[in-house]
């Protein structure tokens, strides 16, 4: 038997009762199959509400400030349909990312009976999470917010109030993509709206004096020298007053620019993680473990649910359903454990030295692993 030193662990993780299989008791009321997944985290719920509010605010400004008052009905209808479709897909993707089980490992399964049922062979080990008392399959990490070990966990995102893992990464990617698209679309419409209104107001101003652009340029008439009161309609470009319209559009510009940058970066990061078959936590930790990586195209197909089709962009179409975990998925080889050359043969219950990354906020204080070995 091997004992891996645990000098890197915090004090609470060194307590023996956290590592003894007989201390693990399955939850008395397991979650029924088909139950909706929802994380009761105050910060995450608040961020999710803010996300919906910002999307609905953009919807309000686009419709009631820019499109409905416009006299170009074709322009209004086309842009209204496109923007509303993208907004609907963004909110649907957000709901699916928030309410889908990201790949939680069964809680409390690290019991003595279950470990014995695995019938470990020489050179095989199983990792045990002392926080949720679960046996951790490969590439699973513990989330302190969800209080569960999540398979292929990338990170915990407060904006969707959930972890991004094996089962909901597709929805998170679609959410970031659609938010980036509606942000870009809104910025383009705001630009056209400003240009159109400035040009239209200037034209109406000239028509109020019975002048053309050429006559104004030749006469070099200064508006400050004209005493005649202006009679230009303020409802040409918006149903709101000019100051209110400007404030609403400036806020929309700020929101659109901020979310365009943020979601574009997140979208690119997620696509890179999928193509390289490396999660955000694995990229930060850089564990030098031998792991067979899947090809980029195979990883993309597994994430988005099969060969390329329109279902890739459909938030109501799930990813390829993962296979149920078999006994061999819980077991790993000793060669994949770091620092095995510095171990001693003393007991069956051991700890693995923690390789906690410096970025605690991103990793959410992840795992403290227990290890059961057989030699």
């Amino acid at each position: 038997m091997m004992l891996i030193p645990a000098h890197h662990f915090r004090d609470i993780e060194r307590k023996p009762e956290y590592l003894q299989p007989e201390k693990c008791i399955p939850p008395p009321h397991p979650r029924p199959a088909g139950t909706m997944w929802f994380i009761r985290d105050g910060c995450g719920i608040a961020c999710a509400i803010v996300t919906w509010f910002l999307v609905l605010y953009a919807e309000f400004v686009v419709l009631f400030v820019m499109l409905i008052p416009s006299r170009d009905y074709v322009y209004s209808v086309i842009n209204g349909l496109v923007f509303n479709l993208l907004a609907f897909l963004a909110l649907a993707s957000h709901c699916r990312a928030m309410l889908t089980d990201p790949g939680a490992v069964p809680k409390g399964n690290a019991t003595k009976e279950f470990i014995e049922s695995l019938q470990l062979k020489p050179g095989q080990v199983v990792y045990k999470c002392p926080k949720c008392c679960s046996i951790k399959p490969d590439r699973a990490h513990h989330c302190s917010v969800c209080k569960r070990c999540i398979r292929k966990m990338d990170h915990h995102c407060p904006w969707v109030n959930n972890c991004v893992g094996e089962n909901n990464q597709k929805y998170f990617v679609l959410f970031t993509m659609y938010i980036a698209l509606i942000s870009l679309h809104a910025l383009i419409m705001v630009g056209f709206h400003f240009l159109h209104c400035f040009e239209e107001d200037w034209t109406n101003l000239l028509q109020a004096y019975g002048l053309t652009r050429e006559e104004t340029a030749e006469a070099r008439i200064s508006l400050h020298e004209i005493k005649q009161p202006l009679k230009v309609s303020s409802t040409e470009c918006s149903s709101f007053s000019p100051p209110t319209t400007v404030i609403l559009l400036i806020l929309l510009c700020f929101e659109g620019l901020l979310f365009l940058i943020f979601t574009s970066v997140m979208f690119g990061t997620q696509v890179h993680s999928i193509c390289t078959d490396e999660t955000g936590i694995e990229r930060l930790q850089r564990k030098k473990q031998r792991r067979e990586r899947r090809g980029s195209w195979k990883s993309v197909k597994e994430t988005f649910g099969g060969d390329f089709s329109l279902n890739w962009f459909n938030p109501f179409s799930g990813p390829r359903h993962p296979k149920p975990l078999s006994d061999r998925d819980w077991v790993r080889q000793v060669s994949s454990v770091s620092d095995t050359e510095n171990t001693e043969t003393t007991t069956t219950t051991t700890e693995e030295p923690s390789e906690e990354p410096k970025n605690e906020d991103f990793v959410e204080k992840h795992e403290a692993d227990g290890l059961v070995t057989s030699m």
Side-chain angles (χ1 to χ4, degrees):
M1 307 300 172
M2 300 190 307
L3 175 64
I4 298 180
H7 53 277
H8 294 292
F9 276 179
R10 293 181 285 270
D11 292 339
I12 191 172
E13 293 163 350
R14 295 196 187 102
K15 295 182 179 180
E17 58 265 25
Y18 279 82
L19 297 169
Q20 296 175 358
E22 56 270 15
K23 296 292 182 178
C24 289
I25 302 176
H29 301 288
R31 193 163 60 98
T35 304
M36 182 181 67
W37 175 274
F38 183 75
I39 302 300
R40 294 176 176 85
D41 175 59
C43 177
I45 294 174
C47 289
I49 293 175
V50 169
T51 300
W52 275 68
F53 172 78
L54 292 175
V55 174
L56 294 178
Y57 170 78
E59 183 85 14
F60 168 78
V61 176
V62 168
L63 289 180
F64 295 99
V65 177
M66 293 190 289
L67 296 183
I68 293 180
S70 176
R71 292 176 299 180
D72 190 340
Y73 297 106
V74 176
Y75 172 86
S76 298
V77 170
I78 293 177
N79 282 278
L81 289 176
V82 172
F83 188 85
N84 280 277
L85 176 61
L86 293 177
F88 171 76
L89 292 174
L91 294 178
S93 300
H94 182 270
C95 286
R96 293 301 301 271
M98 180 172 59
L99 303 178
T100 299
D101 183 346
V105 177
K107 195 173 184 178
N109 67 346
T111 60
K112 183 177 180 180
E113 294 76 13
F114 183 72
I115 294 176
E116 290 177 349
S117 68
L118 295 177
Q119 299 180 351
L120 298 179
K121 298 178 181 179
Q124 291 183 337
V125 299
V126 293
Y127 288 95
K128 169 183 164 295
C129 177
K131 297 180 180 179
C132 61
C133 215
S134 300
I135 294 180
K136 297 171 57 175
D138 192 23
R139 306 184 70 184
H141 302 273
H142 184 86
C143 175
S144 61
V145 179
C146 299
K147 296 180 175 60
R148 297 290 292 274
C149 286
I150 307 297
R151 297 194 304 271
K152 200 180 173 185
M153 176 180 172
D154 187 87
H155 69 288
H156 183 92
C157 178
W159 296 105
V160 298
N161 188 34
N162 201 0
C163 280
V164 178
E166 185 177 56
N167 295 343
N168 68 341
Q169 189 173 26
K170 169 188 174 178
Y171 308 129
F172 183 75
V173 172
L174 292 180
F175 168 67
T176 57
M177 182 184 72
Y178 288 128
I179 290 293
L181 288 177
I182 65 174
S183 299
L184 178 61
H185 190 199
L187 288 173
I188 293 174
M189 284 192 292
V190 169
F192 278 113
H193 190 76
F194 271 121
L195 292 176
H196 171 72
C197 286
F198 285 153
E199 181 180 2
E200 186 170 307
D201 287 345
W202 180 249
T203 303
N204 292 338
L205 182 64
L206 296 179
Q207 291 176 352
Y209 297 105
L211 299 175
T212 63
R213 291 171 181 256
E214 293 76 8
E215 293 173 344
T216 304
E218 292 176 0
R220 300 182 180 276
I221 299 177
S222 173
L223 297 178
H224 299 287
E225 299 175 356
I226 301 178
K227 306 298 182 180
Q228 182 180 356
L230 300 180
K231 297 180 180 180
V232 181
S233 174
S234 61
T235 61
E236 295 286 344
C237 291
S238 175
S239 56
F240 296 90
S241 64
T244 303
T245 300
V246 171
I247 292 175
L248 292 174
L249 292 179
I250 289 177
L251 290 177
L252 180 61
C253 283
F254 178 76
E255 175 193 344
L257 185 61
L258 181 65
F259 273 85
L260 175 62
I261 296 174
F262 176 73
T263 54
S264 296
V265 171
M266 289 302 301
F267 175 77
T269 302
Q270 289 299 302
V271 171
H272 179 267
S273 295
I274 294 173
C275 293
T276 58
D277 193 24
E278 183 181 48
T279 66
I281 295 176
E282 293 167 348
R283 187 166 57 254
L284 285 177
Q285 292 181 336
R286 292 296 184 188
K287 290 185 176 181
K288 305 300 182 181
Q289 297 183 358
R290 296 180 180 179
R291 179 173 64 84
E292 181 181 355
R293 296 178 182 271
R294 295 170 296 179
S296 298
W297 187 244
K298 182 178 179 181
S299 179
V300 171
K301 289 197 297 183
E302 288 188 0
T303 301
F304 287 92
D307 295 328
F308 178 78
S309 66
L310 290 179
N311 282 331
W312 279 23
F313 308 99
N314 180 10
F316 300 101
S317 173
R320 182 175 296 175
H321 191 70
K323 297 179 180 179
L325 293 173
S326 61
D327 288 349
R328 69 175 187 176
D329 293 322
W330 304 106
V331 179
R332 310 186 212 177
Q333 294 297 323
V334 175
S335 58
S336 67
V337 183
S338 59
D339 299 333
T340 53
E341 65 274 8
N342 298 322
T343 60
E344 301 176 8
T345 305
T346 55
T347 181
T348 60
T349 305
T350 63
E351 296 181 34
E352 179 192 16
S354 174
E355 299 181 25
E356 295 189 9
K358 296 181 180 179
N359 193 337
E360 284 284 332
D361 294 336
F362 183 84
V363 181
E364 292 289 339
K365 302 183 183 69
H366 285 121
E367 72 266 30
D369 298 337
L371 182 66
V372 179
T373 69
S374 175
M375 294 295 292

